[in-house]
């Protein structure tokens, strides 16, 4: 036999390769899909995935062989999006997936009959809405009051009162809201209701007395403080308030007496200023004007009648001694007669007052004098 050359051997080997490949693939399917041959003709998902992962032939060839097998035998599973994604990640191409889709089996699960049928659901009745109650409105009102929202607080306290008109705490809280709004009359009305329900409620008497003082009704305030001491003779707050009011009355009476005496002494004075030329401390000329006529001022300021003075019912005259410079400006003002509370207001008014310069012999000079302010309610 003639020996083969190297080239001839290569040609024969190349022509024999497809046959070897086919045998190898058939062996692969034989080993990979034994259950298919033994039990059924359809291919399962596991069979296809295992065959795709086989390294016996190329991936393209595996896809081609599996595509033909699927078309011929069919599959035992349903192609879901999850399974399709799994096949693609394993190497399945579009032809294989499409053949599986055509042969896909829709799996239906028959319902298992129940030995005991489930009873029909009983409809749940819709709950009836709960109307806001006394506690709800009281809580809302208390929250409003704590935030300074007194208008809203009063509105919610009104609703709570309508639901429970015998609850004294609501009247006390609403009265405090009225007090904060400076509506003292309505606050007093609520305190009256509390005392009507509970005649021994000390806080109602105390707060009502405070409201009376705000209105300037000192006599009724004193009556409430005395009622507190009648119920509790050691109540320090009521005792201190009574002493304060009595002290204020004593001072006011003394001021009235002093004012009357001062007025009597001033009757001798003329409305027109008395010009007496003297020498100032710095050696300059000084004119004593005596009682200053308001007509001499270019801007006569009016003193403020403070609320404290009104509440204490303070009245009467205050005399303020002033020094005026050459330009008519007040350089000092000191009250010499009158109640201390009224005096402070009078001194401030005197300092704000402007006068015409005092001209003597063609020259402006300093002046002194006193201004009388009359405080009347």
């Amino acid at each position: 036999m003639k020996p083969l050359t190297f080239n001839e051997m290569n040609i024969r080997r190349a022509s024999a390769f497809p046959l070897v490949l086919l045998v190898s693939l058939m062996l692969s399917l034989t080993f990979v899909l034994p259950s298919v041959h033994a039990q059924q003709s359809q291919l399962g998902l596991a069979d296809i995935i295992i065959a795709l992962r086989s390294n016996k032939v190329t991936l393209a060839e595996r896809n081609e062989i599996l595509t033909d097998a699927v078309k011929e035998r069919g599959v035992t599973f349903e192609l879901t999006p999850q399974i399709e994604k799994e096949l693609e990640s394993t190497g399945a191409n579009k032809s294989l997936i499409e053949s599986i889709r055509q042969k896909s089996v829709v799996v239906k699960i028959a319902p298992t009959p129940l030995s005991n049928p489930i009873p029909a659901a009983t409809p749940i009745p819709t709950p009836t809405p709960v109307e806001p109650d006394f506690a709800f409105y009281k809580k809302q009102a208390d929250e409003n009051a704590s935030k300074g929202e007194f208008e809203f607080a009063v509105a919610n306290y009104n609703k709570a009162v309508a639901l429970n008109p015998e609850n004294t705490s609501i009247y006390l809280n609403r009265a405090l809201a009225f007090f904060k709004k400076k509506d003292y009359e309505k606050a007093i009305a609520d305190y009256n209701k509390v005392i009507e329900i509970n005649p021994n409620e000390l806080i109602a008497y105390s707060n009502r007395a405070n409201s009376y003082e705000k209105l300037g009704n000192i006599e009724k305030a004193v009556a409430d403080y005395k009622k507190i001491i009648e119920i509790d003779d050691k109540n320090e707050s009521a005792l201190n308030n009574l002493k304060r009011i009595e002290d204020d009355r004593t001072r006011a009476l003394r001021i009235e007496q002093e004012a009357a005496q001062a007025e009597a002494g001033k009757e001798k004075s003329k409305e027109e200023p008395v010009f007496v030329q003297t020498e100032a401390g710095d050696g300059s000329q000084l004119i004593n004007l005596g009682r200053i006529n308001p007509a001499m001022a270019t801007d006569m300021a009016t003193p403020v009648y403070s609320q404290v003075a009104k509440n204490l019912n303070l009245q009467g005259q205050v005399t303020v001694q002033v020094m005026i410079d050459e330009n008519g400006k007040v350089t000092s003002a000191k009250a010499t007669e009158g109640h201390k509370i009224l005096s402070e207001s009078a001194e401030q008014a005197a300092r704000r007052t402007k006068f015409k310069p005092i001209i003597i012999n063609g020259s402006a000079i300093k002046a002194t004098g006193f201004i009388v302010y009359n405080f009347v309610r």
Side-chain angles (χ1 to χ4, degrees):
M1 179 181 292
K2 183 180 179 181
L4 298 174
T5 65
F6 181 77
N7 288 335
E8 291 174 336
M9 292 176 65
N10 285 340
I11 291 171
R12 290 187 178 185
R13 288 176 181 172
S15 62
F17 179 76
L19 178 60
V20 173
L21 179 62
L22 179 59
V23 172
S24 175
L25 179 59
M26 294 303 293
L27 289 174
S28 172
L29 288 175
T30 300
F31 287 105
V32 169
L33 308 175
S35 61
V36 174
H37 291 287
Q39 300 176 9
Q40 58 184 359
S41 62
Q42 292 177 310
L43 300 178
L45 177 61
D47 299 330
I48 295 175
I49 291 176
I50 292 172
L52 283 171
R53 292 176 178 172
S54 173
N55 295 323
K56 301 294 183 178
V57 293
T58 65
L59 180 61
E61 292 169 330
R62 279 176 264 165
N63 270 283
E64 183 178 355
I65 294 172
L66 285 172
T67 299
D68 293 340
V70 168
K71 290 179 179 179
E72 180 181 350
R73 302 177 185 177
V75 294
T76 63
F77 58 91
E78 179 186 3
L79 184 64
T80 64
Q82 291 80 6
I83 292 176
E84 182 175 347
K85 185 176 181 181
E86 176 66 20
L87 289 171
E88 288 177 349
S89 64
T90 308
N93 61 16
K94 292 182 179 179
S95 296
L96 176 56
I97 290 175
E98 182 59 31
S99 65
I100 293 172
R101 180 177 287 106
Q102 294 176 2
K103 296 292 184 177
S104 179
V105 176
V106 178
V107 179
K108 296 182 179 180
I109 300 174
T112 303
L114 300 176
S115 57
N116 296 320
I118 300 175
T122 303
I124 300 174
T126 304
T128 304
V130 179
E131 292 292 335
D133 57 5
F134 169 83
F136 172 84
Y137 288 121
K138 181 180 183 300
K139 181 181 178 183
Q140 289 292 108
D142 291 342
E143 289 178 358
N144 293 141
S146 67
K147 297 176 183 177
E149 301 168 347
F150 299 116
E151 289 289 347
F152 294 112
V154 168
N156 281 312
Y157 283 135
N158 290 343
K159 295 175 182 177
V161 166
L163 293 171
N164 190 352
E166 297 301 315
N167 188 293
T168 57
S169 66
I170 290 297
Y171 293 106
L172 287 171
N173 292 352
R174 187 172 67 177
L176 183 58
F178 282 132
F179 187 91
K180 293 294 186 180
K181 292 176 59 186
K182 298 183 179 181
D183 196 342
Y184 305 121
E185 293 286 357
K186 289 184 179 179
I188 290 171
D190 271 350
Y191 292 130
N192 291 343
K193 185 64 177 178
V194 173
I195 293 170
E196 177 186 329
I197 297 172
N198 182 6
N200 293 325
E201 184 63 73
L202 297 183
I203 191 171
Y205 288 108
S206 179
N207 289 353
R208 188 172 71 174
N210 193 13
S211 299
Y212 279 136
E213 286 197 64
K214 291 294 185 181
L215 292 174
N217 197 333
I218 305 302
E219 291 300 330
K220 287 189 175 182
V222 168
D224 275 344
Y225 290 132
K226 288 182 177 180
K227 182 63 178 180
I228 293 173
I229 296 172
E230 179 184 323
I231 299 172
D232 177 13
D233 59 357
K234 295 181 180 179
N235 191 291
E236 293 186 4
S237 177
L239 291 170
N240 291 336
N241 281 319
L242 277 178
K243 184 178 183 304
R244 170 180 56 81
I245 292 175
E246 290 302 322
D247 290 344
D248 289 341
R249 282 176 165 178
T250 300
R251 284 195 298 269
L253 180 60
R254 185 178 68 249
I255 291 169
E256 290 179 3
Q257 293 173 346
E258 292 173 353
Q261 293 174 359
E263 185 64 23
K266 297 294 184 338
E267 289 297 329
K268 300 178 182 180
S269 301
K270 302 291 184 181
E271 289 297 324
E272 295 296 326
V274 177
F275 294 92
V276 179
Q277 188 170 354
T278 61
E279 187 174 323
D282 59 0
S284 61
Q285 294 298 309
L286 178 69
I287 291 294
N288 189 344
L289 303 176
R291 181 168 181 171
I292 296 176
N293 191 323
M296 300 177 62
T298 59
D299 184 9
M300 178 64 76
T302 303
V304 176
Y305 200 170
S306 70
Q307 187 61 46
V308 174
K310 291 180 180 179
N311 289 343
L312 295 174
N313 200 26
L314 298 179
Q315 301 184 70
Q317 293 183 336
V318 176
T319 301
V320 180
Q321 189 73 31
V322 297
M323 290 291 294
I324 307 170
D325 64 12
E326 294 88 340
N327 297 317
K329 179 181 179 181
V330 175
T331 57
S332 70
K334 181 66 177 177
T336 58
E337 297 178 7
H339 191 277
K340 183 178 180 180
I341 295 177
L342 300 177
S343 296
E344 184 177 353
S345 178
E347 289 175 353
Q348 293 174 357
R351 293 189 188 99
R352 298 196 304 270
T353 299
K354 307 295 181 184
F355 293 94
K356 302 172 185 177
I358 306 300
I359 307 298
I360 301 294
N361 297 326
S363 300
I365 63 173
K366 297 178 181 179
T368 185
F370 61 89
I371 305 173
V372 178
Y373 296 98
N374 192 23
F375 289 83
V376 180
R377 288 200 67 179

